[in-house]
Amino acid sequence: MTDQPIILIAADERLAKIEAEFRARYDRDYRIVTAGDAGGALQLLRELVDSGAAVAMVVADVSIGEIPGPTFLRRTQSISPTARRLVLSTPGAGYAANLDALREATVRRDIDTFTGIPMGPRDEEFHTVVTELLSEWGWSVARPAVSIIDVVAEPHDREAGAIRDLLERLGFPNRILTPDSAEGAALISAATAESSAPVVLPLARAYDGRLFPAATARGLNELLSTRFDTVPEGEVTDVLVIGAGPAGLAAAVYAASEGLTTAVLERDAIGGQAGSSSMIRNYLGFPRGISGMRLAQRSRIQAGRFGAKFYTGRSVTGLEPCTLDGVPTYRVHLGDTELRARTVLIATGVAYRRLGIESVDVHTGAGVYYGAATSMAREMQGRDVIVVGGGNSAGQSAVHLAKFARHVTILIRRASLSESMSEYLIRELDSTPNVSVASNSEIADGGGEAALEWVTVRDRTSGEEHRFDVGGLFCMLGAQPDCTWLPEGIALDKAGFVLTGRDVPKDAWTDGMPPADLETTLPGVFVAGDVRSGSMKRVASASGEGASSLPLIHAHLAALRAREFGAE
């Protein structure tokens, strides 16, 4: 046995060809094992799992003897639920004949995807499929082979959980070490040598060797960010984007690509709520799906290549109109510093509502998690888990957790998931055997010692209550905007979302005309994404609104230039 993850190939007549293709590229980093029949492959897979081997991928020919490849791969799910499942078919007429069945198998989630067997050298499309699957497995399932940041903490430490969630969303490989482990004890000793004061956990060590006792997620984010993102005094940008979720990132890409000086502020991790999604399958251009973290990081890189500047780990504390050389601009406060901008796009998104049950919320970070918390999925191995919420984020979280947990229950207050969740996710949940839905239900109570251990679920129709032992409670309840820092001049709806365009009260219109479609009651301040009143609350729609803000921003900047030149 070695520490290499396993790629298991099951095929008969084409086994040698498929094996040669995989060995040519993946033999160094993965242990490739093969089986010439379905029964032998299943037995081999059981033996590998029982031995503790990490199975990254199971590859099957489109048919193995009399058994269709998707049927074989469906049987592997109960043995190795976290392994990625790939079907290979011969291009040409055989491929076309199997296409409908393969598509249906993908919809049912019997397989992750399918592609053709390479017919010649350098079939990069084939290897793109394979490496994407392996990459997602490595991020979401495997323990990191190389750690950028290590954190020493006691088990169930709430702050350590928040740090790990932040690092996962940033895409930083990390490890959580216990104080009594050899590596954890060594880090504590090193921190003790630097200071005579007792070391307070969590203790974090960054990639450059710096040690941070009493680390917090917010503090670590600020320290890591300021290393690269010092906010320049007196800088004035054409566009200042507040919030780096899908809406803000899309706006940054388009603004910077069109030559506008662009800055993006984000107090948390790049990606917002979408950044914590384990797999988004209905986003345009990613037929095999993409994790929220990867979508966010790719978008950041894309915007950065066009010249957009990112300042992360900063909270905006105020926004106020001002003038610069007689031209209206805005001053955005960031603690003891500020930025100025000719236009501002608010894309701060929303936060999940709290349950408001003290006996449950006291365990936040230790068994209770608000958001997808994909970083905690590995810790749910063999446990029963409850996901509260009926939106797409809840569905994506349940699918991911089901790869690790013994059973996942989706708890919804409504009668059906169809009222709030995309159909493709509902089908995916229906085909996942260890996921069930409890409708017309809500959390009534919960408790535990060091972490959450049990919850009471109330039937909202009958009023009956039942107690369940749980290993984790993941809450994705509704949407709550954070607009407390906005000036009074920006109109909000009754729920606190920002009003734009014709939804703005008529007494705030100018000369009988409403603001532009995505513009607020403050000229030059625009809103996109979930924080906007009436938005669709989907990743694609948020991205679309971010991109759609650019013509409006251009028009406002043109008006400012005309005013400036007119004044001259």
Side-chain angles (χ1 to χ4, degrees), residues 171-426:
F172 286 5
N174 63 87
R175 296 184 301 173
I176 304 295
L177 308 171
T178 58
D180 56 358
S181 67
E183 292 168 294
L187 289 182
I188 293 174
S189 296
T192 302
E194 290 185 0
S195 172
S196 57
V199 176
V200 178
L201 302 181
L203 169 66
R205 179 183 64 182
Y207 47 86
D208 58 2
R210 287 182 296 166
L211 295 171
F212 303 119
T216 65
R218 168 106 8 134
L220 194 59
N221 194 17
E222 290 177 357
L223 285 166
L224 294 173
S225 299
T226 53
R227 183 82 170 186
F228 308 101
D229 306 340
T230 302
V231 177
E233 290 286 345
E235 180 169 284
V236 182
T237 64
D238 292 324
V239 184
L240 181 59
V241 180
I242 304 175
L249 289 168
V253 168
Y254 281 93
S257 69
E258 294 178 17
L260 301 179
T261 56
T262 306
V264 183
L265 302 175
E266 172 56 58
R267 69 179 179 183
D268 199 2
I270 298 294
Q273 281 189 1
S276 64
S277 294
S278 58
M279 184 60 64
I280 303 169
R281 297 194 185 278
N282 63 342
Y283 193 79
L284 185 68
F286 295 92
R288 291 175 288 276
I290 185 171
S291 70
M293 182 275 288
R294 294 195 184 281
L295 180 62
Q297 296 306 326
R298 290 180 184 184
S299 300
R300 175 179 184 164
I301 293 169
Q302 187 177 17
R305 286 179 175 172
F306 287 121
K309 298 179 180 178
F310 284 80
Y311 305 110
T312 56
R314 275 89 167 180
S315 294
V316 176
T317 56
L319 169 69
E320 60 176 323
C322 62
T323 58
L324 182 66
D325 298 329
V327 178
T329 57
Y330 287 95
R331 181 183 289 117
V332 177
H333 297 281
L334 299 143
D336 57 357
T337 188
E338 65 180 38
L339 281 171
R340 289 193 180 192
R342 298 176 181 87
T343 61
V344 176
L345 177 72
I346 300 169
T348 49
V350 294
Y352 292 116
R353 286 190 297 106
R354 297 277 167 159
L355 283 172
I357 303 171
E358 185 177 355
S359 60
V360 175
D361 283 341
V362 72
H363 295 291
T364 299
V368 178
Y369 308 98
Y370 284 91
T374 53
S375 61
M376 294 305 301
R378 302 183 191 98
E379 311 304 320
M380 299 298 113
Q381 191 77 44
R383 302 183 181 185
D384 292 331
V385 172
I386 292 178
V387 174
V388 182
N392 276 13
S393 294
Q396 291 158 357
S397 180
V399 169
H400 184 60
L401 285 164
K403 298 178 184 298
F404 303 88
R406 179 170 57 189
H407 189 269
V408 179
T409 301
I410 300 179
L411 209 68
I412 56 173
R413 295 167 61 88
R414 301 180 181 184
S416 169
L417 288 174
S418 61
E419 299 178 47
S420 54
M421 189 179 292
S422 294
E423 180 62 26
Y424 86 93
L425 267 173
I426 295 175

Side-chain angles (χ1 to χ4, degrees), residues 12 41-42 44 127 136 167 174 267 351 397 420 443 518 568:
D12 44 22
L42 290 173
L44 178 56
H127 290 291
E136 291 298 340
L167 295 175
N174 63 87
R267 69 179 179 183
S397 180
S420 54
I443 300 294
L518 299 176
E568 295 177 357

Side-chain angles (χ1 to χ4, degrees), residues 98-118:
N98 291 302
L99 191 56
D100 287 344
L102 292 173
R103 285 174 174 165
E104 182 61 30
T106 305
V107 170
R108 292 196 310 266
R109 304 304 304 145
D110 292 343
I111 63 176
D112 285 295
T113 192
F114 57 91
T115 191
I117 298 174

Side-chain angles (χ1 to χ4, degrees), residues 146-163:
V146 177
S147 175
I148 292 180
I149 296 180
D150 291 336
V151 179
V152 184
E154 297 286 355
H156 306 302
D157 186 289
R158 290 161 173 76
E159 195 58 50
I163 291 172

Side-chain angles (χ1 to χ4, degrees), residues 113-131:
T113 192
F114 57 91
T115 191
I117 298 174
M119 300 301 289
R122 297 181 301 280
D123 187 339
E124 301 306 335
E125 177 59 29
F126 167 82
H127 290 291
T128 295
V129 174
V130 174
T131 54

